[in-house]
Amino acid sequence: MTSPKATVDVVVLTMNDRPEPFERAMESLLAQRDVDLRVVIVGNGVQPDHVPAGVRTVVLPVNEGIPAGRNAGADALAGPDAGEFVFFLDNDAVLPATDTLARLIAVARRHLGAAYIQPRIADPGTGVTLRRWVPRLRAGTATRPGTITVMAEGVVLIRRADYEQAGGWPGHFFLFHEGVDLSWRLWDLGRTGHYAPDVVIHHPATNPARHAPFYRLVARNRVWLAYRRLPAPLIPVYLAVWTVVSIARIRSRANLAVWFRGLREGLKGGHGQRSPMSWATVARLTRAGRPPIV
């Protein structure tokens, strides 16, 4: 007896700044077999200029950032007909085979305790998987599967029920570290994440520092993340660890000065509702290989 097709709500964002990659991404998505798709394109401050037949749109009047845009797309497909899964896909990512999404869902069926399934992301030209795309500390081997505690949020499959119970992405983060916030909330529900490197999705290997606000936002959002999700005794430990790591990694004095401005911005507030994880979740994350201080 064959399993019924999974229903998947797919959210893709656009700012109309990647016309050719966006069209390739949508073509690869709509070619997926053995899944029932409902797709929404969110125009983040724009009217989408490429909308295939049968695809819904949501237009945000201004660019509200990536996590808020993802929330808007997922909310647009919520309700009694919502899919079993929500799949978030960057608009320059390509599913290289027509069974890619079905294979990812098959992994989810085998790992029922996992709220989210992370495929392996690889550059289409070189096949390289960047370290930041491997959602664990020991990232040297990108082909090792297993339990993970964070996610590479640009391409990820999440069970709709878990996504809604966790409350979705932290919309006000705008960009960077929103996946850690959501992952920790999913773990705090008693769930886990799973990395499935045998399922590969293509994405250009780019440097996130190309974004002008990179250093400010990564620093600010680290502070917000700590204030929102960590038990009080762990907040200074987490921030101290990441300050040392950042000073070691950022070689440019100018960039480091921007980073410290972001740190100060985060310390001033604006993190939103505080809902720290339980100490039991801290212990689970630690046993899984990544205590929530690194």
Side-chain angles (χ1 to χ4, degrees):
M1 182 178 178
T2 58
S3 300
K5 291 182 180 180
T7 55
V8 186
D9 295 337
V10 184
V11 179
V12 185
L13 308 187
T14 185
M15 293 178 63
N16 292 343
D17 55 348
R18 298 170 177 164
E20 293 183 4
F22 181 35
E23 289 191 26
R24 288 195 297 270
M26 293 304 298
E27 181 179 356
S28 74
L29 173 64
L30 297 176
Q32 294 301 295
R33 297 184 289 106
D34 300 322
V35 290
D36 286 332
L37 298 179
R38 300 193 313 160
V39 182
V40 62
I41 296 172
V42 178
N44 222 342
V46 299
Q47 180 73 43
D49 59 8
H50 174 68
V51 182
V55 172
R56 295 182 58 178
T57 61
V58 171
V59 178
L60 302 179
V62 297
N63 178 9
E64 297 186 9
I66 289 178
R70 292 194 192 111
N71 284 339
D75 291 348
L77 298 176
D81 297 326
E84 179 183 359
F85 298 94
V86 187
F87 183 54
F88 297 95
L89 182 70
D90 273 359
N91 67 3
D92 55 351
V94 170
L95 288 71
T98 58
D99 66 345
T100 299
L101 192 49
R103 291 176 57 218
L104 196 61
I105 289 165
V107 176
R109 299 276 194 241
R110 295 195 297 270
H111 296 274
L112 297 178
Y116 59 99
I117 307 295
Q118 178 76 62
R120 179 162 69 90
I121 305 170
D123 182 84
T126 65
V128 168
T129 295
L130 299 178
R131 184 180 183 86
R132 65 184 172 87
W133 287 339
V134 183
R136 59 168 177 264
L137 286 179
R138 293 181 294 278
T141 305
T143 56
R144 177 166 58 86
T147 299
I148 51 173
T149 62
V150 293
M151 66 175 71
E153 55 274 276
V155 182
V156 65
L157 180 77
I158 308 177
R159 298 181 199 275
R160 163 71 79 167
D162 291 324
Y163 170 84
E164 292 186 350
Q165 187 176 358
W169 304 93
H172 64 302
F173 274 36
F174 196 84
L175 181 61
F176 304 123
H177 303 326
E178 68 270 17
V180 184
D181 186 280
L182 179 54
S183 297
W184 282 358
R185 280 180 283 129
L186 291 168
W187 272 79
D188 209 34
L189 296 176
R191 309 290 282 153
T192 65
H194 184 81
Y195 179 52
D198 289 343
V199 182
V200 177
I201 291 179
H202 291 161
H203 189 295
T206 55
N207 184 351
R210 72 190 189 280
H211 297 288
F214 173 78
Y215 291 102
R216 179 179 67 85
L217 292 184
V218 294
R220 184 199 69 181
N221 290 356
R222 284 285 182 196
V223 179
W224 283 2
L225 177 67
Y227 279 19
R228 285 163 60 84
R229 302 301 170 204
L230 291 180
L234 293 186
I235 294 174
V237 180
Y238 181 88
L239 295 180
V241 167
W242 279 105
T243 297
V244 170
V245 169
S246 298
I247 290 173
R249 286 179 178 175
I250 302 171
R251 303 304 176 90
S252 162
R253 287 189 176 184
N255 290 338
L256 195 58
V258 174
W259 188 91
F260 273 106
R261 285 200 294 272
L263 184 71
R264 289 193 294 271
E265 181 183 344
L267 291 171
K268 289 179 180 179
H271 52 79
Q273 182 178 2
R274 175 165 163 75
S275 181
M277 67 177 69
S278 69
W279 285 105
T281 300
V282 172
R284 291 178 64 233
L285 290 168
T286 302
R287 288 195 299 271
R290 188 160 191 167
I293 57 172
V294 292

